[in-house]
Structure formats: structure tokens, C-alpha cells
Amino acid sequence: MTAPTESYQYPSPRTGYDEALDAAGAVRPTWSIATHAVGSMEPAALHDRQRDADRLLDAEGAGHLVHELALERGTDRHGVSASARVESRPWRLDPLPFVIDAAEFAVLSNAAIQRMRLLEALLVDCAGERQLVRDGVLPAALLYSLPSFRAHTAGFAPPRWLVHYAVDVARVADGSWRVVHDLTDAPSGLGYSLLNRAVLARLLPDGLRAAGAAPINAHADRLRRALTASAPADRPSPRAVVLSSGPAHPTYVEHSYLATRLGFHLVEGADLVMREGRLWLRALDGLEPIDVVYRRLEDAMLDPLEHGHQGGGTGVPGLVWGARSGHVALANAYGSGLAEAAELRPYLGAVAERLLGDRLQLEQLAPQEVLATAPVFTGHGASALEPRAVVLRLQVVNGPDGHSVMLGGAGRVLAPGDAPEWPTAHLAKDVWVVGTTAPRPVAVMAPPQVDFGPSVPKRAADALYWLGRAAERAEVAVRAARVVGVQFDQDPMLTSVGDGAWALGVGALLAAARNEPVQAAPELPLNVRLAGSLQATISVAAQQLASLVQEASSVREYLSTTTGRVLGRLARAHGLLLDDDSPTDELDSVLVDLAALAGLAMESTVRGPAWRFLDLGRRIERSLAVLGSVESALGADVSSMALQPLAEAVLAANESLVAYRRRYRSDVDLDAVLDLLLRDDSNPRGLAFQLDRLREHVSALAWSQGVQLVHHASSAAIAEIDDTVVSGRRIAIDGYVLSVRGPLLELAQAIGQHWFADPVNPTMMGGH
Amino acid sequence: MRTFRVVHRTEYTYGTAMADGFTVARLLPRDTPLQTVRHATIDVSPIPDEWEESLDPFGNRVVHFAVHHPHFSLAVVSNLEVGLETGELPIGEVPWRTVAADAAGARGDTAAEVGPFLAYTEQTPALAALGELTDDVFTGDRGVIGSVQHLCHRIFNGFQFDASFSDVSTPLRSVLAERRGVCQDFAHVSCAALRSVGLPARYVSGYIETIPLPGEPKLVGVDASHAWCSVWAGELGWIDFDPTNNQMPPLRHVTLGWGRDYDDVAPVRGVVIGPPSGQSLHVSVDVAEIF
């Protein structure tokens, strides 16, 4: 049994209302359930729980999280050197759930439904008859001065204004509840709630079961049904997308998570276009019709053609007009942001009486009111717990099943001094509703969606392709640094071999891995140059990891959950590579993670066009890397003393050293090395193998230009390489590399132009 | 009745081919108690793939059109012919306070009609500096028409017409501080000032025929889009005045439509989708009386 609360010295405030202890200092039943679920309330145990919660949140959310990485897409992507910085927005989950009794929750839940009905009625009236204005309930001067009132779309009567609604509620000092604010425009928090619950379900599986907490997962299915049901009437199998403004949006994590959970494409404005009254997705195979937009964009960012648009070139021109004409459904409808305006709150009581004939069940939080507190793990004090105010966000969906409130959700913990509407702290509590007697909801099958398997937005294919290239480039840089570093560590005298031929060769190998020309710095000793070169190569590897995670975060819904975890590890490795002085171990573990990523791409990704573009990126990059390593390290005519370690370095950099030794069991022979690396189609690290995969991909895409270019590369790749030496270079190697690389670079360029070039952001035309 | 013809040409050149272009045009005039629309067409080049006409919530005529094939430029030309009755100020007066009280207490259709024009907007915000224009104008039991005439006169005399000073995004605060601007600014100043004393005010978009200086020929295409203000005078109805030209009522003005501010009635609003490019805009307006 749980020890009495006093024994862990929770500093409960003796005034007001606290979720743990009542006025007499006795433990409330709901708090007792929370402490039972957590098990030990010893501070050390709570610290462990918090650490596990952090780790699990990272694991569940990783890959959705936008880490604090500089976005360096390199000069070759779209011909620009984009360098945007995206802040990470981490949040922590308190290991102690917020437990609420079903009977009390039912009161909140009814109040939330009433409020959603009220706000829907308000929107209908303001855009339609304006009876509230005519009757003097709502002053027109106020309504028409609100930026969120879309005066131009008045007369707009969408079948449903609010599909998804959320409301923040908080308990005040006398124990009763208040509304803090409404979210009607693009309500956030549902994805976070599902993520938080997934974490606590793994952290406290027995506790969750024993408490009998109501499951919340079905709410996402209700949302999906409500969204598909909101499609225009003549669409038998409606297609929906989740519309985001991209990774820079403050709640992008949940856009990505929800898209995955709902099974919809996550798209950005440039992926969509309005034509002939219909909305279309720019997919690889052309335009695909879209019927429902679950918009995670605020409506001021939705359509640059509309008045009051704030997003510059973001959004989809004509989308609002299309919705107004009934050809596409927006959830929530354009203009629904009006209902959350703070200026309307003083009128809502009268509006409820006028439109619903009813009194508001929950009052608005008044500025001077003191919020109740709940114990929150902060790590401070004897109990490691401190009392904090918590604001609960209730999620409501209105669909074919009627209104339904998610039985639980997320509570946001206020830091001292926080305004209840806008907490600064990113600390959440999972909300458990206990003691429900209602029967488990019966699962209702949604109408079938069109099979999205073969459909890929161009932007997603673009990002997947660059994800593939960045993954491979990162691996090339890491492996080169690793191989050269180990050779150097094991035999520091190598720098003097063949008058520095080894050092020059591996220096060139590292430069090739960085995709840079060799920097001549003859005034410095070879070993100093080599150390600098190793360091530079590791930072390039770190940059490539950053690009990899960036690209992955914009196409997270194509990657498996396990892939997400690997991405989380790689994001952390990025920081370690930059910090660590001798990161050999770190390099090894990055290689393991990159191998896991490659393996998951092969084993856990459906073989559709999305996968093909990911793999195309990999194969092109690997082909170029093999050619680069051969040209840089084996192109110079060096003594056999130097050739031996150089050839070993090239083989190891291409992960072919073991294969070479098993096959040839001999000292290094240059022809045999070149054969294994360039022409042996059974070596998965060799050029011939990559060209075979490229051929499969371009054929499967039925892309004649690609087929032709791969054919050129393959024809050049079977050429013989003789041992002619001119001016110290094996010119046959140089010639060979040049003739294979040419068509490959052309292929890379053609992929960008042929497959991805189209989507661009709209431009406003100048005013008068 | 006099007859006016307007030709308004707006031409965008993009420098490179755009894939899609979307335009919302408020270029077709509406009938008013003093204005009869005889003829109004819009010609667009290239020929749009989509075209839809409707009325906006203020009763203005709106055209949505879109081009969905590659195009290097977009030309929108409107040809209008309207008949105008000469406006005259109503006989009689109503105290401005009575009008303001009626507007504030309006119910039913009147509330729906005049209420929106009491609202401050981003382009017509509540500013303390408006008091300098209204404090000694809207006093005691002065009549609404006399007061508004005074306000119109004060803006005409107190503000410098300066086309180089402002554009559509210059905030009202700067216009009030610098006492200069163009017709759109003076219309915004008028609307904000009237709303600050509780009088409903519309921003009116349209054209004015410019009169050449004595002895000089009238040039074609030098006229411009124009804007002025309309005040609700209670039982006397809506009364237009032009603070840029100190005319109440206006005399040679063709009305397109009205709203709370410029944004509500911007003549052309457009978005294109295509590669980044330089774009240039050429506008010409020609207004002439037909005898």
C-alpha cells in the first residue's frame, strides 16, 4: 500500500484546492490511484521514472521531433545554399498522471459538448442571418473589427463548421472548474495526448490497467471517420490529407504524428493546387483529387487570395473559394477561428441563451481567480514533488457518431507566473479518467479510402531522395574517417611511407568523402594535415546527419516506428560527433545506426515509389562515393609499399576489405581491387551492384531518360583499366571514373528536373 | 442624367511562364440611388480557364477567375458605362449625436446594414490622434451634415496630397502624423474619424474624371482609381463626400463598391504559381463623360 502522503513530505498548499490532499490533509482517492500506479513515491524512484519517461518520449516521438540542427541542404539541392535554423521544441512528461473520476469528467465533458455546439451555432449565425447582431446580443462594431471574422465569406454555409474542437479547462481554488480558452481554428493537442499516453502505457502498464484508466486511442479513429464523413456528398471514397506549413510550425511534431496515425498524407501548401474547382495533390504520377483537408494551418495562413492572409506565399490559392463552392471540405471550416476570439467571451453567456436557450455549464476563468494545484515531479524538495497549476485540454470530435469527447488527454503544467492560456513550460501530464461504467465504444468501420500506396507527393519523394543521399554521404564520411583514423593510430609511421604517398592518398580519400577538392597546405607536416583532415571529415559527417534528420522529419509518415527511433539516435550522435575529441567509438555506433537505417529501409518499407526514391538517392550517392574513393586514393602511381595500405583503406572505406581477403587471400593486387569495387555485381558495396539497382528503379518508374542515362553509365563501367602512367597518374583510372561519373551526375540532375521541379510557393501579385 | 465611360487596364508581366494564376477582381460597378450601370464587361488575356461572378456580403460585384496554363502576362481590361444623377445634399439636418445613438442602438436590418461600418479595422484603427480632427467638429447638437462637411474641409485643407508618400500598406498612424497621403489614405482617415465619434462610415472605391487645366488637352489614361467616404446620416440615409477634392456631394465620381476599408474592395487581388521571377505592373485608367 502507498505510504501516507505526509511521509513523503509533499508540500501541499494548505489553502485552495489540491488534487492530492483535501482540506483536512487526507489523501484524495484519485491521488491514491495515481501513486499506486507509479509504485514507489521515493524521490530516487521518481527520478528513475522521469528518466524513463524522457527516454520513452524520445523513442516514441523521435523522428517526429525536429531537433535543433542547422539545416544545411548543401549547394547541390535546388542550386541554393539553404541554411535555416529550426529550434527544437522538446516537452517533458510528468511520470505522475492526472487522475480524474469519471463522474466529474462527465460534467466537464458535457460542458465541452455544449460549448462546441454553442460555438458552431455562433459561427453559423455570424456568417449567415446575423440574428445576434440584429437582436443586439453581439455588437456589429465588435464582430466586424475582429481580424478572425472573415467578413468576405459571410453567406458561407459549410455543412459543418467544427469537426474538431478543443477546450482548456482548469480547476479553481473552490474546487469548481472554469473554461480557460477555446480552440476552434486548428485545435492542437490531440497528437500530443496520444503520444503521452503511449509513453505512460509503456512506463506504467500495470498501473494504467489497475487504475482502469479509459483508453483514448479510439478517439483518433473517430476523428478519421468524422473527417471522411465531412467530404462533399458526391465522393464515395473520399481522400483526405493533413495540411501543415512544414517543420517550422510550432506543433509540427503532432502534424506528423497524426498524419501517421490517421493514415493520411502530410502535405504542405505547395503540394496542392486548385484547378477547375477541385483540389489536387501534386503526386509523382500527376495530379490526384483530394476531397477533405484536415488543416493544421491557422486560417489566416490558408489561402493567399483571401483578405487578411498573413502567410505571404504560404497556403493554397483558391482553396477557400473551392470550399465555399462545396467542392472540397476544410476541417475546420474557413473562418472557424472567429469562435476562439477572446473578445467574444463576455457575450457567450447571452449568446448561449439566445441560440441554445440554455445557460453555460462552465464559466469563464476570471483574471483574479486562483487555480487549484496538483503534485508535479520537479526534483526539488524533500519529496521531489511541488504543487503546480495544471490546465486540462479536452478534445471533442463531431462526426457521424455525434459529439464525442476523448476520455482523457493532456494536462499542461504551468510554471510559476505563467498565464493559464499560454504556458511557457513544456511539461505535460497524461490525464486518466477512472471509474468509467460506460460500455466500450463499438468500433465502426470507416468508409474505405482509396489505396494511397502508390501515391506520393512530389515534395515527399524529393525529401526521401535527399534522405537517401544524406544517409549515404554521412556513411561515406564516417567510414572514411574511421578507416583512416584506425590505420594512423595503429601505425603512426605510415606518414613517412613512400615519401608521404600514403598520407597524400588517404588525405585525398578523406577530401573525396567530404566532396571537396584536396586542400594543399604544404607548409604543415603531413601528420598535422591528416589530423585536420580527419576532423573536417567528421564535421561533414555531422552535417550530413543533420540533413538526414531534417529530411526525415518532413516525411516521417513514410518511415516505420523503429526507423523513428534510429533517427532519434542519429540526431543525438550529431551532437556527440561535434563534441567528442576522439570519437572512434562514436563513429562505430553511428555506423551501426546507419546500417540499421539502411536495413529498415530495405526490410520495413513498402516497395512503392516512395521507397524507390529513397533507394535511388542511396544508390547514386554510393556509386559516386566508390568512384571518388578509387580516383582519389588509387589514381596516383605509388610504390607498392604505399599501395598496400592505400588499397586496404579504399577497400575498408567501401566495406569490402573482408570480402577481398576471403576471395583473394593474397597481398593487395590493384586489378583485383578494382575488379571487386567496380565490376563485381555480387559485391553490394561495389559500383556494378549500384548500377543494377539504379537500372531496376528507373525501369520500374518507366522513365526513359533515366533508363538511357543508367545505360550510359553501365556501358562505361565495364571498360577495362590498363596500367598506363602519365605524369604520375594512372590515367586509365581517371578516364574510367570520368566516363562513368558523367552520366551519373546527369542522372542526379535529371531526377530533380523531371520528378521534383514542379511545386513552388505562390507569389502575390503587386497591388495598385 | 450624365453618362460616363471608364476603361481600366491592369497588366502584369512576369518575365517567365507562370503555371497557374488566380485573380479576384472587384472591377464591376454596382447600381446606387444615383448611379445606373448601363454596360460593364471585363476582358482578360489569356482567356481564363475558370470564371465565376458573385456578390460579396456588402453587395459588391466580384469576379473570381483563374488561368491554368502557362502564361507570361495577364491583362485585365474593364469597360464601363454608367449614368449618374447629380447628387444633392438632403434638405434638413439631424444632430450628429442622434445619428450616433441610433447607430449604436440599431436593431434588425438597420443593425445589420450600418453596424459593420462602425467597426475599426486594421486599416482604420482607433487612434488618439483622430481626436485632433474631430474634437471641435463633432460638438454639442450640431447637425450631422454640417459636421461632416467641416471634417471633409479640414482633411482637404490639413493634409497634403503626395503620391510619393504612401502606398496601400502605409499605416494610418503615419498618414495622421505626417499629414500627407493619397485619396485612399484620406478616405481611411475620414472613415476612422467618423467611427471614432460613433458614426457609421463606408470606404467607397471607384473612379473620378480629372479635369484638365484650362487651355490644356485632356490626356488619355492619366485618371486613376479613386476612393472616398460615405457617412450614414440616420433617416437622411448614406451621404458621400470626397475629402481629397473637398466635394460633398461628389460630382464626377463613378462608384464600384464599398466596404470597411481598402482591403474589403481592393480592385484586383492576384496570386500566381510559377518559378521565382521579377514581375512588373502597369495600370491605366481613363474616365470620360460622353455627351
Side-chain angles (χ1 to χ4, degrees):
Chain A
M1 288 304 290
T2 310
T5 303
E6 281 72 13
S7 74
Y8 50 81
Q9 296 174 316
Y10 164 60
S12 164
R14 292 296 172 172
T15 59
Y17 187 103
D18 188 78
E19 301 290 343
L21 305 177
D22 66 18
V27 176
R28 295 184 194 277
T30 48
W31 178 241
S32 167
I33 290 171
T35 55
H36 270 93
V38 177
S40 169
M41 291 299 288
E42 291 297 322
L46 290 176
H47 271 283
D48 287 349
R49 289 293 194 197
Q50 180 71 68
R51 203 187 50 240
D52 289 345
D54 290 349
R55 186 177 54 77
L56 286 164
L57 187 62
D58 203 25
E60 288 294 330
H64 292 283
L65 302 182
V66 178
H67 293 266
E68 194 168 347
L69 300 175
L71 173 60
E72 302 254 2
R73 277 176 163 169
T75 47
D76 51 355
R77 181 165 182 179
H78 309 314
V80 290
S81 181
S83 182
R85 207 171 169 79
V86 179
E87 297 290 313
S88 74
R89 287 170 287 270
W91 78 97
R92 290 185 99 183
L93 179 62
D94 191 78
L96 296 156
F98 187 106
V99 178
I100 181 165
D101 181 70
E104 185 166 34
F105 191 79
V107 173
L108 294 178
S109 164
N110 288 335
I113 290 173
Q114 182 202 37
R115 208 146 166 114
M116 187 178 189
R117 291 178 50 230
L118 169 67
L119 298 178
E120 173 109 20
L122 172 85
L123 289 165
V124 168
D125 183 70
C126 289
E129 291 302 307
R130 280 168 295 149
Q131 207 55 52
L132 294 169
V133 166
R134 290 168 195 277
D135 294 354
V137 176
L138 196 59
L142 172 72
L143 179 64
Y144 280 81
S145 70
L146 296 175
S148 57
F149 178 55
R150 307 287 165 207
H152 299 89
T153 43
F156 180 24
R160 180 164 284 150
W161 280 89
L162 305 176
V163 169
H164 178 189
Y165 162 71
V167 57
D168 279 356
V169 297
R171 201 197 286 277
V172 289
D174 71 0
S176 61
W177 290 84
R178 299 283 184 275
V179 169
V180 178
H181 74 156
D182 303 286
L183 293 95
T184 56
D185 192 355
S188 62
L190 175 57
Y192 293 118
S193 298
L194 296 171
L195 251 169
N196 289 342
R197 177 61 61 88
V199 168
L200 273 209
R202 295 188 59 197
L203 187 69
L204 313 169
D206 300 335
L208 194 66
R209 238 190 322 273
I216 60 172
N217 214 16
H219 198 75
D221 301 317
R222 273 187 221 110
L223 175 62
R224 187 176 51 237
R225 283 198 295 281
L227 288 170
T228 29
S230 71
D234 56 343
R235 316 287 161 78
S237 44
R239 298 161 56 116
V241 292
V242 177
L243 176 62
S244 170
S245 57
H249 193 281
T251 61
Y252 181 76
V253 172
E254 77 165 2
H255 303 176
S256 166
Y257 191 81
L258 275 176
T260 310
R261 179 66 181 77
L262 295 168
F264 298 158
H265 277 315
L266 180 62
V267 303
E268 296 171 23
D271 296 331
L272 302 174
V273 64
M274 280 301 302
R275 284 190 186 155
E276 310 294 334
R278 288 289 299 266
L279 180 65
W280 307 87
L281 172 69
R282 294 182 200 271
L284 285 175
D285 289 335
L287 298 176
E288 297 174 358
I290 297 298
D291 308 305
V292 180
V293 175
Y294 179 45
R295 61 178 180 92
R296 306 284 72 210
L297 280 183
E298 296 70 15
D299 70 12
M301 313 285 281
L302 208 53
D303 183 345
L305 210 53
E306 291 303 316
H307 295 77
H309 181 74
Q310 290 169 356
T314 61
V316 186
L319 179 58
V320 169
W321 192 249
R324 190 192 161 103
S325 309
H327 300 311
V328 57
L330 296 176
N332 291 337
Y334 178 74
S336 54
L338 170 71
E340 65 184 52
E343 293 88 341
L344 292 179
R345 285 177 201 154
Y347 301 92
L348 288 181
V351 171
E353 284 177 28
R354 177 68 182 75
L355 294 181
L356 304 181
D358 214 349
R359 292 174 63 84
L360 279 180
Q361 293 170 21
L362 276 192
E363 282 173 46
Q364 189 74 41
L365 180 71
Q368 73 284 358
E369 281 184 294
V370 176
L371 297 185
T373 53
V376 169
F377 174 79
T378 60
H380 301 301
S383 65
L385 300 174
E386 289 182 272
R388 289 277 186 275
V390 179
V391 174
L392 268 48
R393 179 161 295 178
L394 307 182
Q395 301 284 345
V396 195
V397 159
N398 186 15
D401 321 333
H403 290 86
S404 53
V405 181
M406 183 163 78
L407 292 176
R412 291 177 308 154
V413 177
L414 303 192
D418 267 359
E421 279 195 54
W422 313 110
T424 49
H426 300 282
L427 181 61
K429 264 182 181 290
D430 188 24
V431 178
W432 294 4
V433 177
V434 299
T436 42
T437 50
R440 296 286 294 261
V442 182
V444 183
M445 296 305 288
Q449 275 234 337
V450 175
D451 177 12
F452 264 99
S455 141
V456 182
K458 285 191 177 202
R459 184 193 45 78
D462 194 2
L464 286 162
Y465 170 76
W466 284 102
L467 167 59
R469 290 196 68 164
E472 201 61 31
R473 274 199 213 175
E475 183 181 337
V476 167
V478 170
R479 204 175 285 284
R482 166 88 174 81
V483 165
V484 174
V486 166
Q487 272 193 337
F488 188 38
D489 288 347
Q490 287 177 349
D491 185 359
M493 298 310 289
L494 271 174
T495 45
S496 55
V497 166
D499 283 341
W502 172 82
L504 290 171
V506 293
L509 179 69
L510 291 171
R514 297 195 301 272
N515 216 354
E516 286 172 4
V518 180
Q519 299 287 329
E523 69 279 7
L524 293 174
L526 280 173
N527 55 349
V528 175
R529 280 157 65 183
L530 196 53
S533 192
L534 278 169
Q535 203 55 51
T537 308
I538 289 168
S539 17
V540 165
Q543 275 171 28
Q544 292 300 331
L545 289 180
S547 314
L548 184 163
V549 174
Q550 283 287 354
E551 299 290 2
S553 69
S554 73
V555 284
R556 178 60 185 80
E557 73 273 23
Y558 291 90
L559 309 171
S560 66
T561 310
T562 314
T563 305
R565 293 186 186 162
V566 175
L567 288 168
R569 294 172 54 93
L570 288 169
R572 279 192 300 281
H574 160 264
L576 294 172
L577 284 188
L578 292 177
D579 295 343
D580 203 341
D581 286 338
S582 56
T584 305
D585 286 351
E586 199 50 54
L587 291 180
D588 281 341
S589 89
V590 169
L591 286 174
V592 171
D593 289 334
L594 286 169
L597 189 69
L600 286 163
M602 295 306 287
E603 299 301 329
S604 306
T605 313
V606 177
R607 293 294 193 272
W611 172 78
R612 285 205 189 280
F613 280 91
L614 176 64
D615 206 54
L616 262 176
R618 264 185 190 287
R619 301 299 170 186
I620 286 181
E621 199 63 43
R622 193 175 286 177
S623 307
L624 294 172
V626 175
L627 290 170
S629 63
V630 167
E631 177 189 43
S632 59
L634 302 179
D637 179 37
V638 297
S639 67
S640 58
M641 275 284 281
L643 182 61
Q644 178 80 20
L646 269 180
E648 282 185 5
V650 172
L651 284 168
N654 288 298
E655 222 191 2
S656 301
L657 185 56
V658 173
Y660 181 88
R661 286 183 178 144
R662 291 195 65 80
R663 183 166 309 180
Y664 298 100
R665 298 174 193 276
S666 70
D667 284 351
V668 168
D669 170 79
L670 184 58
D671 286 338
V673 169
L674 293 177
D675 197 54
L676 179 65
L677 291 179
L678 302 176
R679 284 184 294 256
D680 185 338
D681 62 9
S682 68
N683 177 11
R685 295 279 164 169
L687 175 69
F689 189 91
Q690 315 312 316
L691 292 173
D692 286 348
R693 300 290 86 70
L694 285 173
R695 187 178 312 112
E696 288 168 13
H697 293 324
V698 292
S699 306
L701 291 167
W703 178 37
S704 57
Q705 187 190 10
V707 170
Q708 205 170 22
L709 288 168
V710 175
H711 178 72
H712 288 334
S714 304
S715 309
I718 53 173
E720 289 297 320
I721 299 175
D722 64 32
D723 51 7
T724 317
V725 172
V726 175
S727 311
R729 293 290 299 177
R730 298 175 202 273
I731 56 165
I733 287 186
D734 288 345
Y736 177 95
V737 168
L738 208 63
S739 63
V740 181
R741 185 152 55 196
L744 283 174
L745 290 175
E746 251 186 275
L747 176 69
Q749 198 171 13
I751 287 173
Q753 283 167 354
H754 182 84
W755 294 99
F756 312 139
D758 210 6
V760 284
N761 282 321
T763 318
M764 297 294 296
M765 296 183 339
H768 285 260
Chain B
M1 182 176 282
R2 304 156 73 197
T3 302
F4 284 85
R5 196 172 68 199
V6 179
V7 180
H8 181 176
R9 173 186 293 270
T10 305
E11 193 164 3
Y12 295 93
T13 310
Y14 306 121
T16 177
M18 294 293 141
D20 293 89
F22 302 82
T23 308
V24 182
R26 286 179 164 81
L27 291 169
L28 294 176
R30 61 190 292 172
D31 285 336
T32 76
L34 297 176
Q35 172 172 298
T36 311
V37 178
R38 302 219 176 103
H39 170 86
T41 56
I42 299 179
D43 292 305
V44 177
S45 168
I47 293 172
D49 300 299
E50 291 183 77
W51 183 276
E52 197 173 333
E53 291 187 36
S54 59
L55 293 184
D56 77 8
F58 301 112
N60 305 310
R61 297 169 70 183
V62 188
V63 181
H64 278 75
F65 61 84
V67 177
H68 297 303
H69 54 270
H71 56 296
F72 288 83
S73 63
L74 180 76
V76 184
V77 182
S78 51
N79 273 284
L80 321 175
E81 193 180 304
V82 301
L84 291 184
E85 299 283 358
T86 307
E88 276 171 31
L89 288 182
I91 310 208
E93 264 285 24
V94 182
W96 73 271
R97 280 189 198 285
T98 310
V99 175
D102 288 351
R107 294 289 181 270
D109 288 349
T110 309
E113 187 198 340
V114 306
F117 301 103
L118 284 168
Y120 292 112
T121 66
E122 199 180 326
Q123 288 174 310
T124 58
L127 296 171
L130 292 168
E132 296 166 26
L133 294 174
T134 55
D135 280 352
D136 54 351
V137 172
F138 295 92
T139 55
D141 51 5
R142 278 188 82 178
V144 64
I145 293 176
S147 313
V148 174
Q149 267 175 322
H150 190 175
L151 175 72
C152 177
H153 191 70
R154 175 167 283 189
I155 294 171
F156 176 74
N157 283 324
F159 287 70
Q160 180 91 36
F161 186 92
D162 181 353
S164 68
F165 172 72
S166 63
D167 61 31
V168 291
S169 62
T170 306
L172 195 70
R173 183 182 297 280
S174 315
V175 174
L176 285 174
E178 302 294 329
R179 301 264 156 171
R180 52 183 63 226
V182 296
C183 55
Q184 283 89 353
D185 302 311
F186 304 153
H188 281 148
V189 169
S190 306
C191 288
L194 291 169
R195 291 171 198 167
S196 75
V197 297
L199 294 175
R202 287 170 179 164
Y203 176 100
V204 187
S205 155
Y207 306 99
I208 183 173
E209 186 200 21
T210 50
I211 315 275
L213 292 170
E216 289 182 16
K218 164 136 175 127
L219 302 172
V220 174
V222 297
D223 301 301
S225 292
H226 192 52
W228 59 97
C229 185
S230 189
V231 64
W232 187 69
E235 61 196 45
L236 303 176
W238 292 92
I239 301 171
D240 285 18
F241 65 99
D242 178 356
T244 310
N245 293 294
N246 197 22
Q247 281 184 4
M248 184 168 177
L251 298 173
R252 321 172 70 77
H253 292 57
V254 175
T255 300
L256 282 175
W258 52 73
R260 294 165 297 173
D261 55 22
Y262 172 84
D263 259 359
D264 277 350
V265 283
V268 180
R269 201 177 156 87
V271 177
V272 286
I273 300 180
S277 69
Q279 50 164 282
S280 63
L281 167 64
H282 179 74
V283 180
S284 76
V285 177
D286 190 32
V287 184
E289 185 169 359
I290 304 172
F291 298 98

